[in-house]
PDB file of all heavy atoms in Angstrom:
ATOM      1  N   MET M   1       0.827  -1.211   0.000  1.00 97.00           N
ATOM      2  CA  MET M   1       0.000   0.000   0.000  1.00 97.00           C
ATOM      3  C   MET M   1       0.862   1.262   0.000  1.00 97.00           C
ATOM      4  O   MET M   1       0.587   2.214  -0.738  1.00 97.00           O
ATOM      5  CB  MET M   1      -0.933   0.000   1.208  1.00 97.00           C
ATOM      6  CG  MET M   1      -2.035  -1.017   1.132  1.00 97.00           C
ATOM      7  SD  MET M   1      -3.000  -0.982   2.667  1.00 97.00           S
ATOM      8  CE  MET M   1      -4.118  -2.323   2.394  1.00 97.00           C
ATOM      9  N   LEU M   2       1.898   1.283   0.826  1.00 98.00           N
ATOM     10  CA  LEU M   2       2.765   2.461   0.892  1.00 98.00           C
ATOM     11  C   LEU M   2       3.597   2.622  -0.378  1.00 98.00           C
ATOM     12  O   LEU M   2       3.779   3.739  -0.864  1.00 98.00           O
ATOM     13  CB  LEU M   2       3.663   2.386   2.122  1.00 98.00           C
ATOM     14  CG  LEU M   2       2.943   2.604   3.452  1.00 98.00           C
ATOM     15  CD1 LEU M   2       3.864   2.277   4.617  1.00 98.00           C
ATOM     16  CD2 LEU M   2       2.431   4.024   3.564  1.00 98.00           C
ATOM     17  N   ARG M   3       4.081   1.520  -0.905  1.00 97.00           N
ATOM     18  CA  ARG M   3       4.884   1.599  -2.137  1.00 97.00           C
ATOM     19  C   ARG M   3       4.072   2.121  -3.308  1.00 97.00           C
ATOM     20  O   ARG M   3       4.618   2.810  -4.175  1.00 97.00           O
ATOM     21  CB  ARG M   3       5.492   0.237  -2.450  1.00 97.00           C
ATOM     22  CG  ARG M   3       6.609  -0.147  -1.494  1.00 97.00           C
ATOM     23  CD  ARG M   3       7.096  -1.547  -1.744  1.00 97.00           C
ATOM     24  NE  ARG M   3       8.128  -1.922  -0.775  1.00 97.00           N
ATOM     25  CZ  ARG M   3       8.626  -3.135  -0.689  1.00 97.00           C
ATOM     26  NH1 ARG M   3       8.208  -4.096  -1.501  1.00 97.00           N
ATOM     27  NH2 ARG M   3       9.552  -3.401   0.218  1.00 97.00           N
ATOM     28  N   THR M   4       2.777   1.797  -3.353  1.00 97.00           N
ATOM     29  CA  THR M   4       1.945   2.341  -4.440  1.00 97.00           C
ATOM     30  C   THR M   4       1.810   3.851  -4.336  1.00 97.00           C
ATOM     31  O   THR M   4       1.452   4.507  -5.306  1.00 97.00           O
ATOM     32  CB  THR M   4       0.535   1.708  -4.464  1.00 97.00           C
ATOM     33  OG1 THR M   4      -0.157   2.054  -3.268  1.00 97.00           O
ATOM     34  CG2 THR M   4       0.597   0.207  -4.649  1.00 97.00           C
ATOM     35  N   GLN M   5       2.111   4.395  -3.162  1.00 96.00           N
ATOM     36  CA  GLN M   5       2.063   5.846  -2.946  1.00 96.00           C
ATOM     37  C   GLN M   5       3.451   6.477  -3.079  1.00 96.00           C
ATOM     38  O   GLN M   5       3.639   7.659  -2.783  1.00 96.00           O
ATOM     39  CB  GLN M   5       1.489   6.156  -1.566  1.00 96.00           C
ATOM     40  CG  GLN M   5       0.088   5.616  -1.340  1.00 96.00           C
ATOM     41  CD  GLN M   5      -0.885   6.143  -2.375  1.00 96.00           C
ATOM     42  OE1 GLN M   5      -0.994   7.348  -2.575  1.00 96.00           O
ATOM     43  NE2 GLN M   5      -1.581   5.241  -3.061  1.00 96.00           N
ATOM     44  N   GLY M   6       4.429   5.682  -3.514  1.00 97.00           N
ATOM     45  CA  GLY M   6       5.786   6.194  -3.696  1.00 97.00           C
ATOM     46  C   GLY M   6       6.578   6.329  -2.408  1.00 97.00           C
ATOM     47  O   GLY M   6       7.576   7.048  -2.367  1.00 97.00           O
ATOM     48  N   ILE M   7       6.151   5.651  -1.356  1.00 97.00           N
ATOM     49  CA  ILE M   7       6.823   5.746  -0.061  1.00 97.00           C
ATOM     50  C   ILE M   7       7.759   4.552   0.106  1.00 97.00           C
ATOM     51  O   ILE M   7       7.333   3.394  -0.004  1.00 97.00           O
ATOM     52  CB  ILE M   7       5.789   5.797   1.084  1.00 97.00           C
ATOM     53  CG1 ILE M   7       4.923   7.056   0.932  1.00 97.00           C
ATOM     54  CG2 ILE M   7       6.475   5.756   2.444  1.00 97.00           C
ATOM     55  CD1 ILE M   7       3.738   7.117   1.855  1.00 97.00           C
ATOM     56  N   ALA M   8       9.030   4.817   0.366  1.00 97.00           N
ATOM     57  CA  ALA M   8      10.026   3.758   0.534  1.00 97.00           C
ATOM     58  C   ALA M   8       9.706   2.941   1.775  1.00 97.00           C
ATOM     59  O   ALA M   8       9.588   3.480   2.879  1.00 97.00           O
ATOM     60  CB  ALA M   8      11.425   4.359   0.630  1.00 97.00           C
ATOM     61  N   THR M   9       9.561   1.655   1.573  1.00 98.00           N
ATOM     62  CA  THR M   9       9.137   0.756   2.639  1.00 98.00           C
ATOM     63  C   THR M   9       9.872  -0.565   2.508  1.00 98.00           C
ATOM     64  O   THR M   9      10.123  -1.028   1.403  1.00 98.00           O
ATOM     65  CB  THR M   9       7.618   0.484   2.522  1.00 98.00           C
ATOM     66  OG1 THR M   9       6.922   1.714   2.435  1.00 98.00           O
ATOM     67  CG2 THR M   9       7.109  -0.286   3.704  1.00 98.00           C
ATOM     68  N   ARG M  10      10.200  -1.157   3.654  1.00 97.00           N
ATOM     69  CA  ARG M  10      10.779  -2.495   3.626  1.00 97.00           C
ATOM     70  C   ARG M  10      10.120  -3.368   4.688  1.00 97.00           C
ATOM     71  O   ARG M  10       9.651  -2.872   5.721  1.00 97.00           O
ATOM     72  CB  ARG M  10      12.292  -2.451   3.824  1.00 97.00           C
ATOM     73  CG  ARG M  10      12.755  -1.888   5.152  1.00 97.00           C
ATOM     74  CD  ARG M  10      14.263  -1.731   5.174  1.00 97.00           C
ATOM     75  NE  ARG M  10      14.737  -1.178   6.432  1.00 97.00           N
ATOM     76  CZ  ARG M  10      15.966  -0.725   6.622  1.00 97.00           C
ATOM     77  NH1 ARG M  10      16.840  -0.757   5.630  1.00 97.00           N
ATOM     78  NH2 ARG M  10      16.333  -0.233   7.786  1.00 97.00           N
ATOM     79  N   ILE M  11      10.085  -4.658   4.401  1.00 97.00           N
ATOM     80  CA  ILE M  11       9.534  -5.633   5.337  1.00 97.00           C
ATOM     81  C   ILE M  11      10.695  -6.187   6.156  1.00 97.00           C
ATOM     82  O   ILE M  11      11.751  -6.509   5.612  1.00 97.00           O
ATOM     83  CB  ILE M  11       8.809  -6.765   4.595  1.00 97.00           C
ATOM     84  CG1 ILE M  11       7.617  -6.196   3.815  1.00 97.00           C
ATOM     85  CG2 ILE M  11       8.356  -7.853   5.566  1.00 97.00           C
ATOM     86  CD1 ILE M  11       6.976  -7.187   2.879  1.00 97.00           C
ATOM     87  N   VAL M  12      10.492  -6.294   7.457  1.00 97.00           N
ATOM     88  CA  VAL M  12      11.516  -6.807   8.361  1.00 97.00           C
ATOM     89  C   VAL M  12      10.990  -8.091   9.000  1.00 97.00           C
ATOM     90  O   VAL M  12       9.871  -8.123   9.502  1.00 97.00           O
ATOM     91  CB  VAL M  12      11.854  -5.776   9.461  1.00 97.00           C
ATOM     92  CG1 VAL M  12      12.932  -6.316  10.377  1.00 97.00           C
ATOM     93  CG2 VAL M  12      12.258  -4.452   8.840  1.00 97.00           C
ATOM     94  N   ASN M  13      11.797  -9.129   8.961  1.00 95.00           N
ATOM     95  CA  ASN M  13      11.477 -10.382   9.641  1.00 95.00           C
ATOM     96  C   ASN M  13      12.485 -10.574  10.759  1.00 95.00           C
ATOM     97  O   ASN M  13      13.688 -10.426  10.541  1.00 95.00           O
ATOM     98  CB  ASN M  13      11.554 -11.567   8.674  1.00 95.00           C
ATOM     99  CG  ASN M  13      10.460 -11.514   7.646  1.00 95.00           C
ATOM    100  OD1 ASN M  13       9.294 -11.570   7.984  1.00 95.00           O
ATOM    101  ND2 ASN M  13      10.833 -11.386   6.385  1.00 95.00           N
ATOM    102  N   GLY M  14      11.987 -10.883  11.929  1.00 94.00           N
ATOM    103  CA  GLY M  14      12.877 -11.070  13.063  1.00 94.00           C
ATOM    104  C   GLY M  14      12.133 -11.696  14.221  1.00 94.00           C
ATOM    105  O   GLY M  14      11.205 -12.469  14.025  1.00 94.00           O
ATOM    106  N   PHE M  15      12.540 -11.325  15.427  1.00 92.00           N
ATOM    107  CA  PHE M  15      11.944 -11.896  16.627  1.00 92.00           C
ATOM    108  C   PHE M  15      11.619 -10.793  17.623  1.00 92.00           C
ATOM    109  O   PHE M  15      12.351  -9.815  17.732  1.00 92.00           O
ATOM    110  CB  PHE M  15      12.909 -12.895  17.279  1.00 92.00           C
ATOM    111  CG  PHE M  15      13.118 -14.126  16.454  1.00 92.00           C
ATOM    112  CD1 PHE M  15      14.081 -14.161  15.456  1.00 92.00           C
ATOM    113  CD2 PHE M  15      12.341 -15.251  16.668  1.00 92.00           C
ATOM    114  CE1 PHE M  15      14.271 -15.296  14.694  1.00 92.00           C
ATOM    115  CE2 PHE M  15      12.519 -16.391  15.903  1.00 92.00           C
ATOM    116  CZ  PHE M  15      13.484 -16.408  14.917  1.00 92.00           C
ATOM    117  N   GLN M  16      10.518 -10.991  18.343  1.00 83.00           N
ATOM    118  CA  GLN M  16      10.200 -10.103  19.453  1.00 83.00           C
ATOM    119  C   GLN M  16      11.058 -10.532  20.646  1.00 83.00           C
ATOM    120  O   GLN M  16      11.733 -11.552  20.605  1.00 83.00           O
ATOM    121  CB  GLN M  16       8.709 -10.174  19.772  1.00 83.00           C
ATOM    122  CG  GLN M  16       7.869  -9.634  18.633  1.00 83.00           C
ATOM    123  CD  GLN M  16       6.388  -9.810  18.877  1.00 83.00           C
ATOM    124  OE1 GLN M  16       5.957 -10.770  19.481  1.00 83.00           O
ATOM    125  NE2 GLN M  16       5.606  -8.864  18.383  1.00 83.00           N
ATOM    126  N   ALA M  17      11.009  -9.792  21.708  1.00 79.00           N
ATOM    127  CA  ALA M  17      11.936  -9.946  22.834  1.00 79.00           C
ATOM    128  C   ALA M  17      12.040 -11.356  23.405  1.00 79.00           C
ATOM    129  O   ALA M  17      13.116 -11.784  23.793  1.00 79.00           O
ATOM    130  CB  ALA M  17      11.556  -8.978  23.954  1.00 79.00           C
ATOM    131  N   GLY M  18      10.968 -12.079  23.512  1.00 86.00           N
ATOM    132  CA  GLY M  18      11.024 -13.399  24.144  1.00 86.00           C
ATOM    133  C   GLY M  18      10.722 -13.305  25.631  1.00 86.00           C
ATOM    134  O   GLY M  18      10.180 -12.316  26.120  1.00 86.00           O
ATOM    135  N   ASP M  19      11.095 -14.338  26.346  1.00 90.00           N
ATOM    136  CA  ASP M  19      10.823 -14.425  27.781  1.00 90.00           C
ATOM    137  C   ASP M  19      12.130 -14.282  28.559  1.00 90.00           C
ATOM    138  O   ASP M  19      13.130 -14.928  28.242  1.00 90.00           O
ATOM    139  CB  ASP M  19      10.177 -15.775  28.124  1.00 90.00           C
ATOM    140  CG  ASP M  19       8.885 -15.987  27.352  1.00 90.00           C
ATOM    141  OD1 ASP M  19       8.030 -15.080  27.379  1.00 90.00           O
ATOM    142  OD2 ASP M  19       8.741 -17.055  26.726  1.00 90.00           O
ATOM    143  N   TYR M  20      12.103 -13.452  29.593  1.00 92.00           N
ATOM    144  CA  TYR M  20      13.305 -13.227  30.392  1.00 92.00           C
ATOM    145  C   TYR M  20      13.470 -14.353  31.407  1.00 92.00           C
ATOM    146  O   TYR M  20      12.555 -14.682  32.157  1.00 92.00           O
ATOM    147  CB  TYR M  20      13.235 -11.880  31.102  1.00 92.00           C
ATOM    148  CG  TYR M  20      14.524 -11.529  31.802  1.00 92.00           C
ATOM    149  CD1 TYR M  20      15.657 -11.218  31.074  1.00 92.00           C
ATOM    150  CD2 TYR M  20      14.604 -11.532  33.185  1.00 92.00           C
ATOM    151  CE1 TYR M  20      16.857 -10.909  31.705  1.00 92.00           C
ATOM    152  CE2 TYR M  20      15.786 -11.223  33.832  1.00 92.00           C
ATOM    153  CZ  TYR M  20      16.907 -10.909  33.080  1.00 92.00           C
ATOM    154  OH  TYR M  20      18.091 -10.610  33.714  1.00 92.00           O
ATOM    155  N   ASN M  21      14.644 -14.938  31.449  1.00 92.00           N
ATOM    156  CA  ASN M  21      14.987 -15.971  32.414  1.00 92.00           C
ATOM    157  C   ASN M  21      15.845 -15.319  33.489  1.00 92.00           C
ATOM    158  O   ASN M  21      17.020 -15.012  33.255  1.00 92.00           O
ATOM    159  CB  ASN M  21      15.745 -17.118  31.724  1.00 92.00           C
ATOM    160  CG  ASN M  21      16.110 -18.228  32.677  1.00 92.00           C
ATOM    161  OD1 ASN M  21      16.602 -17.996  33.773  1.00 92.00           O
ATOM    162  ND2 ASN M  21      15.875 -19.455  32.230  1.00 92.00           N
ATOM    163  N   GLU M  22      15.252 -15.087  34.655  1.00 94.00           N
ATOM    164  CA  GLU M  22      15.962 -14.393  35.732  1.00 94.00           C
ATOM    165  C   GLU M  22      17.161 -15.179  36.257  1.00 94.00           C
ATOM    166  O   GLU M  22      18.182 -14.590  36.619  1.00 94.00           O
ATOM    167  CB  GLU M  22      14.996 -14.090  36.881  1.00 94.00           C
ATOM    168  CG  GLU M  22      13.964 -13.042  36.518  1.00 94.00           C
ATOM    169  CD  GLU M  22      13.085 -12.663  37.695  1.00 94.00           C
ATOM    170  OE1 GLU M  22      13.526 -12.819  38.848  1.00 94.00           O
ATOM    171  OE2 GLU M  22      11.962 -12.211  37.448  1.00 94.00           O
ATOM    172  N   THR M  23      17.046 -16.486  36.289  1.00 95.00           N
ATOM    173  CA  THR M  23      18.136 -17.316  36.798  1.00 95.00           C
ATOM    174  C   THR M  23      19.386 -17.172  35.945  1.00 95.00           C
ATOM    175  O   THR M  23      20.488 -16.995  36.458  1.00 95.00           O
ATOM    176  CB  THR M  23      17.713 -18.800  36.851  1.00 95.00           C
ATOM    177  OG1 THR M  23      16.532 -18.900  37.641  1.00 95.00           O
ATOM    178  CG2 THR M  23      18.801 -19.661  37.453  1.00 95.00           C
ATOM    179  N   ALA M  24      19.202 -17.235  34.638  1.00 95.00           N
ATOM    180  CA  ALA M  24      20.339 -17.144  33.712  1.00 95.00           C
ATOM    181  C   ALA M  24      20.672 -15.705  33.337  1.00 95.00           C
ATOM    182  O   ALA M  24      21.752 -15.421  32.836  1.00 95.00           O
ATOM    183  CB  ALA M  24      20.060 -17.953  32.456  1.00 95.00           C
ATOM    184  N   GLY M  25      19.719 -14.791  33.572  1.00 93.00           N
ATOM    185  CA  GLY M  25      19.927 -13.393  33.214  1.00 93.00           C
ATOM    186  C   GLY M  25      19.927 -13.150  31.709  1.00 93.00           C
ATOM    187  O   GLY M  25      20.616 -12.266  31.215  1.00 93.00           O
ATOM    188  N   VAL M  26      19.117 -13.941  30.970  1.00 92.00           N
ATOM    189  CA  VAL M  26      19.050 -13.823  29.514  1.00 92.00           C
ATOM    190  C   VAL M  26      17.596 -13.894  29.033  1.00 92.00           C
ATOM    191  O   VAL M  26      16.710 -14.335  29.768  1.00 92.00           O
ATOM    192  CB  VAL M  26      19.852 -14.952  28.815  1.00 92.00           C
ATOM    193  CG1 VAL M  26      21.332 -14.883  29.183  1.00 92.00           C
ATOM    194  CG2 VAL M  26      19.291 -16.320  29.153  1.00 92.00           C
ATOM    195  N   TYR M  27      17.388 -13.429  27.821  1.00 91.00           N
ATOM    196  CA  TYR M  27      16.094 -13.609  27.179  1.00 91.00           C
ATOM    197  C   TYR M  27      16.117 -14.912  26.390  1.00 91.00           C
ATOM    198  O   TYR M  27      17.074 -15.189  25.662  1.00 91.00           O
ATOM    199  CB  TYR M  27      15.781 -12.448  26.230  1.00 91.00           C
ATOM    200  CG  TYR M  27      15.288 -11.221  26.953  1.00 91.00           C
ATOM    201  CD1 TYR M  27      16.178 -10.238  27.354  1.00 91.00           C
ATOM    202  CD2 TYR M  27      13.946 -11.064  27.253  1.00 91.00           C
ATOM    203  CE1 TYR M  27      15.738  -9.118  28.039  1.00 91.00           C
ATOM    204  CE2 TYR M  27      13.496  -9.953  27.929  1.00 91.00           C
ATOM    205  CZ  TYR M  27      14.390  -8.973  28.317  1.00 91.00           C
ATOM    206  OH  TYR M  27      13.951  -7.877  28.998  1.00 91.00           O
ATOM    207  N   VAL M  28      15.077 -15.710  26.527  1.00 92.00           N
ATOM    208  CA  VAL M  28      14.928 -16.940  25.762  1.00 92.00           C
ATOM    209  C   VAL M  28      13.980 -16.640  24.610  1.00 92.00           C
ATOM    210  O   VAL M  28      12.824 -16.281  24.825  1.00 92.00           O
ATOM    211  CB  VAL M  28      14.376 -18.087  26.641  1.00 92.00           C
ATOM    212  CG1 VAL M  28      14.192 -19.354  25.820  1.00 92.00           C
ATOM    213  CG2 VAL M  28      15.290 -18.321  27.833  1.00 92.00           C
ATOM    214  N   VAL M  29      14.502 -16.744  23.398  1.00 92.00           N
ATOM    215  CA  VAL M  29      13.726 -16.435  22.204  1.00 92.00           C
ATOM    216  C   VAL M  29      13.389 -17.740  21.496  1.00 92.00           C
ATOM    217  O   VAL M  29      14.281 -18.543  21.200  1.00 92.00           O
ATOM    218  CB  VAL M  29      14.505 -15.491  21.254  1.00 92.00           C
ATOM    219  CG1 VAL M  29      13.690 -15.181  20.020  1.00 92.00           C
ATOM    220  CG2 VAL M  29      14.883 -14.217  21.991  1.00 92.00           C
ATOM    221  N   ARG M  30      12.101 -17.939  21.250  1.00 89.00           N
ATOM    222  CA  ARG M  30      11.628 -19.172  20.629  1.00 89.00           C
ATOM    223  C   ARG M  30      10.959 -18.865  19.292  1.00 89.00           C
ATOM    224  O   ARG M  30      10.701 -17.706  18.970  1.00 89.00           O
ATOM    225  CB  ARG M  30      10.626 -19.859  21.561  1.00 89.00           C
ATOM    226  CG  ARG M  30      11.224 -20.297  22.885  1.00 89.00           C
ATOM    227  CD  ARG M  30      10.162 -20.990  23.759  1.00 89.00           C
ATOM    228  NE  ARG M  30      10.744 -21.542  24.962  1.00 89.00           N
ATOM    229  CZ  ARG M  30      10.917 -20.877  26.097  1.00 89.00           C
ATOM    230  NH1 ARG M  30      10.545 -19.616  26.195  1.00 89.00           N
ATOM    231  NH2 ARG M  30      11.451 -21.463  27.151  1.00 89.00           N
ATOM    232  N   GLN M  31      10.642 -19.913  18.556  1.00 90.00           N
ATOM    233  CA  GLN M  31       9.978 -19.754  17.268  1.00 90.00           C
ATOM    234  C   GLN M  31       8.681 -18.950  17.410  1.00 90.00           C
ATOM    235  O   GLN M  31       8.344 -18.156  16.544  1.00 90.00           O
ATOM    236  CB  GLN M  31       9.688 -21.123  16.633  1.00 90.00           C
ATOM    237  CG  GLN M  31       9.008 -21.053  15.287  1.00 90.00           C
ATOM    238  CD  GLN M  31       9.825 -20.337  14.225  1.00 90.00           C
ATOM    239  OE1 GLN M  31      11.050 -20.411  14.225  1.00 90.00           O
ATOM    240  NE2 GLN M  31       9.154 -19.637  13.339  1.00 90.00           N
ATOM    241  N   LYS M  32       7.975 -19.115  18.524  1.00 87.00           N
ATOM    242  CA  LYS M  32       6.716 -18.389  18.730  1.00 87.00           C
ATOM    243  C   LYS M  32       6.931 -16.871  18.788  1.00 87.00           C
ATOM    244  O   LYS M  32       5.991 -16.105  18.671  1.00 87.00           O
ATOM    245  CB  LYS M  32       6.003 -18.866  20.000  1.00 87.00           C
ATOM    246  CG  LYS M  32       6.699 -18.457  21.296  1.00 87.00           C
ATOM    247  CD  LYS M  32       5.916 -18.881  22.509  1.00 87.00           C
ATOM    248  CE  LYS M  32       6.579 -18.355  23.775  1.00 87.00           C
ATOM    249  NZ  LYS M  32       5.787 -18.605  24.961  1.00 87.00           N
ATOM    250  N   ASN M  33       8.172 -16.434  18.959  1.00 85.00           N
ATOM    251  CA  ASN M  33       8.489 -15.008  19.019  1.00 85.00           C
ATOM    252  C   ASN M  33       8.831 -14.423  17.653  1.00 85.00           C
ATOM    253  O   ASN M  33       9.133 -13.236  17.541  1.00 85.00           O
ATOM    254  CB  ASN M  33       9.639 -14.751  19.991  1.00 85.00           C
ATOM    255  CG  ASN M  33       9.345 -15.234  21.394  1.00 85.00           C
ATOM    256  OD1 ASN M  33       9.993 -16.143  21.882  1.00 85.00           O
ATOM    257  ND2 ASN M  33       8.350 -14.663  22.040  1.00 85.00           N
ATOM    258  N   ALA M  34       8.783 -15.243  16.595  1.00 91.00           N
ATOM    259  CA  ALA M  34       9.037 -14.750  15.235  1.00 91.00           C
ATOM    260  C   ALA M  34       7.972 -13.726  14.866  1.00 91.00           C
ATOM    261  O   ALA M  34       6.805 -13.839  15.267  1.00 91.00           O
ATOM    262  CB  ALA M  34       9.035 -15.909  14.251  1.00 91.00           C
TER     263      ALA M  34
END
C-alpha cells in the first residue's frame, strides 16, 4: 500500500523480545516469538 504511494518501505522479519529468564539473566527467544 505504501509503495503504491511512492513511499520507501521495507519488510523486516525477526523476533520479538522473548521471555526473560531471571536465573540465567538472559532472554529466551523461541519460534513463537518470530
Side-chain angles (χ1 to χ4, degrees):
M1 290 176 184
L2 288 170
R3 288 174 183 173
T4 64
Q5 301 303 307
I7 298 171
T9 308
R10 62 187 179 192
I11 297 171
V12 181
N13 292 298
F15 292 86
Q16 294 175 326
D19 302 309
Y20 187 70
N21 181 314
E22 291 185 25
T23 304
V26 298
Y27 281 92
V28 179
V29 180
R30 297 181 174 87
Q31 180 61 33
K32 70 177 185 173
N33 302 115

